[in-house]
Amino acid sequence: MIYLFAMFRRVRGPTLVRPAAWLGLVVLAAGLVLGAASGQEARPGPVLMVEVEGAIGPATAARVEDAVDTARERGADVLILRLDTPGGLDASMRSIVQAVLASPVPVVTWVGPSGARAASAGTFILYASHVAAMAPGTNLGAATPVPIGGAPVPEEGSEPSAMERKVINDAVAYIQGLAEMRGRDAGFAERAVREGASLAADAARKDGVVDLLAANEAELLAMLDGRAVETATGARTLATRGAAIETLEPTWQARLLGVITDPTIAYLLLLVGIYGLILEVFTPGTFLPGVTGAICLLLALYAFQLLPVDLTGLALIALGVLLIVAEAFAPSFGALGIGGMVAFVAGSIMLMDTGVPGFAIAGPVIAGVALAGAGLLLAIVVLVTRGQKRGIATGKESLIGSAGLVRSWHAGSGRVTAQGEIWQAHGPDGLLPGQAVRIRALRGLTVEVEPDLQSPTEDAS
């Protein structure tokens, strides 16, 4: 700047060199501005990465959306999704795709490391990404939508229902739109949905399904460097060679959501909630079972709101638990309890029978809970049976048949001691104080007694 000022001072006078000096001044200033701008562009933003593993569900969608927001806030140059999934829920997949399409930061989906896959919902995410990459030994495809309830896809030659045609056609149109937007092979996209076709990484690269084939993250960054992509906010040129990758860890909210939306955990939360409330009814005032049950039940209901729950299965579980509890109040020698166990097991199997990998309740958990319920039912039946065989233990009715001892007796009446109490009594003549008697009837507050020849006579004083 000092040089420019001095040059300006030298050419203030009316000389023939003045126009040339002004021209040099303008060129030099423009060079400085462009140099500063190019220096700013040479400093790329950070490269962030988020790991997307396992079934695509609400927790996965929330995590990717948070990663896109973080990448935008930090001015990242690239956001990498390291993908390895068997598929997942349609709603969660569409949330991820929408976040990727709206991202101002280029999103690169890399199916890796070797041995990973981008099946079903993963194929849609791969097609939606600004750059699609795969590691050798990976595959993608098998994206045919599976209706909730696990209904099988129609076999070749059979006529699909109207609903099945609508679902498949919608998925085909969706993935073809993504393919056209990113300039990728739309033919395979359609086959992946209609026929469940799959491709290995090498074939996917040759057929134009993916853009790059990279064995690891460092090789991926080298291939991305200098690549131009079109984002929601305009064209971007990537500068990634030699950059360090920062892996984004999930927030505690995302971790919690991932735990409670696991189908098996949500199922156990439901059972703990139901049984906690039942125990609170049986033992009012203890509060701990009721509070625990209420919290677990609310968490389970929140998880079920996000998961593809079969309401019939949920109703069968509730009916089964109620019938098992009813067995304790209305003894039916196992009829109510057995019916409750059947309803409970059937409802547990149906609860999340979606056919989507990763979204089914573990069979051993259902079996374990069913065995525990059967043990509880057996204990109830045994206790009820013993209780019916046992005589009445309290109240005036328990006096009938109990043993007593004569305290005083005269002319067919007197007083006897029974169950620690003194009663007015009537009976045969000739009873003596200290003689053992047995009560055979109760008339108001007077008992009818008879001699008990099997019990020894005692001192009635």
Side-chain angles (χ1 to χ4, degrees):
M1 294 300 294
I2 295 175
Y3 172 78
L4 291 176
F5 179 73
M7 185 175 180
F8 176 74
R9 295 275 297 178
R10 291 174 59 185
V11 299
R12 281 189 304 173
T15 64
L16 296 176
V17 188
R18 186 174 182 181
W22 276 109
L23 180 60
L25 182 64
V26 171
V27 170
L28 183 58
L32 290 175
V33 172
L34 292 176
S38 63
Q40 291 179 352
E41 291 178 359
R43 293 193 296 270
V47 175
L48 305 181
M49 183 172 71
V50 61
E51 298 174 354
V52 181
E53 299 178 342
I56 303 295
T60 312
R63 188 175 178 188
V64 173
E65 290 169 352
D66 289 342
V68 170
D69 292 339
T70 301
R72 183 187 68 251
E73 292 168 0
R74 295 179 55 180
D77 194 62
V78 173
L79 173 63
I80 300 175
L81 304 184
R82 196 180 78 180
L83 185 64
D84 181 12
T85 178
L89 303 179
D90 178 79
S92 300
M93 175 270 293
R94 289 177 183 261
S95 296
I96 294 175
V97 168
Q98 290 171 4
V100 170
L101 296 180
S103 173
V105 177
V107 177
V108 177
T109 298
W110 177 59
V111 184
S114 296
R117 56 178 170 168
S120 192
T123 303
F124 286 81
I125 296 172
L126 196 62
Y127 264 87
S129 303
H130 299 96
V131 179
M134 300 179 72
T138 59
N139 66 283
L140 80 161
T144 304
V146 179
I148 289 179
V153 177
E155 297 180 358
E156 186 175 356
S158 62
E159 185 68 22
S161 66
M163 180 57 69
E164 290 167 344
R165 287 196 302 270
K166 289 173 62 176
V167 171
I168 292 177
N169 290 338
D170 176 71
V172 168
Y174 191 53
I175 199 169
Q176 283 184 331
L178 298 175
E180 293 171 1
M181 176 183 292
R182 301 304 186 199
R184 300 194 176 106
D185 183 11
F188 170 76
E190 181 175 2
R191 293 197 306 275
V193 174
R194 292 195 185 278
E195 305 169 12
S198 296
L199 272 182
D202 291 335
R205 177 67 186 92
K206 292 176 182 177
D207 294 348
V209 176
V210 298
D211 306 306
L212 303 173
L213 200 61
N216 49 53
E217 289 92 337
E219 186 175 331
L220 175 65
L221 292 180
M223 292 182 174
L224 290 174
D225 188 63
R227 189 180 186 89
V229 296
E230 189 72 28
T231 68
T233 56
R236 292 277 297 269
T237 300
L238 307 182
T240 58
R241 185 177 296 274
I245 296 178
E246 179 184 345
T247 301
L248 297 177
E249 298 297 330
T251 62
W252 69 267
Q253 295 96 330
R255 292 181 187 274
L256 176 62
L257 185 62
V259 170
I260 65 175
T261 54
D262 181 277
T264 300
I265 299 299
Y267 172 70
L268 293 177
L269 286 173
L270 173 67
L271 297 183
V272 172
I274 292 175
Y275 282 112
L277 295 180
I278 291 174
L279 286 176
E280 183 64 32
V281 172
F282 284 166
T283 57
T286 54
F287 299 115
L288 180 60
V291 172
T292 303
I295 294 173
C296 291
L297 190 59
L298 288 176
L299 289 174
L301 293 177
Y302 174 72
F304 289 158
Q305 177 189 359
L306 302 176
L307 294 171
V309 174
D310 189 313
L311 295 180
T312 302
L314 185 61
L316 284 172
I317 290 176
L319 176 62
V321 173
L322 291 176
L323 289 177
I324 293 174
V325 174
E327 181 68 40
F329 292 97
S332 61
F333 297 97
L336 288 175
I338 292 174
M341 284 304 306
V342 172
F344 177 83
V345 173
S348 299
I349 295 173
M350 296 171 55
L351 185 61
M352 294 183 191
D353 184 21
T354 64
V356 179
F359 285 91
I361 301 173
V365 173
I366 296 177
V369 174
L371 288 176
L376 175 63
L377 173 62
L378 181 61
I380 292 174
V381 172
V382 170
L383 291 176
V384 169
T385 303
R386 288 181 179 177
Q388 289 183 338
K389 292 181 178 179
R390 189 184 301 123
I392 300 175
T394 59
K396 295 180 179 180
E397 292 78 6
S398 64
L399 285 172
I400 308 300
S402 64
L405 194 66
V406 177
R407 294 180 61 88
S408 61
W409 198 262
H410 179 71
S413 64
R415 293 185 301 166
V416 299
T417 301
Q419 295 186 354
E421 298 176 330
I422 299 175
W423 293 83
Q424 294 291 332
H426 290 293
D429 293 335
L431 296 180
L432 300 175
Q435 184 174 352
V437 294
R438 190 161 296 276
I439 299 173
R440 57 186 179 86
L442 178 64
R443 308 263 191 264
L445 297 178
T446 302
V447 295
E448 298 285 341
V449 300
E450 60 184 6
D452 186 359
L453 302 179
Q454 296 180 352
S455 300
T457 300
E458 301 180 8
D459 185 3
S461 60

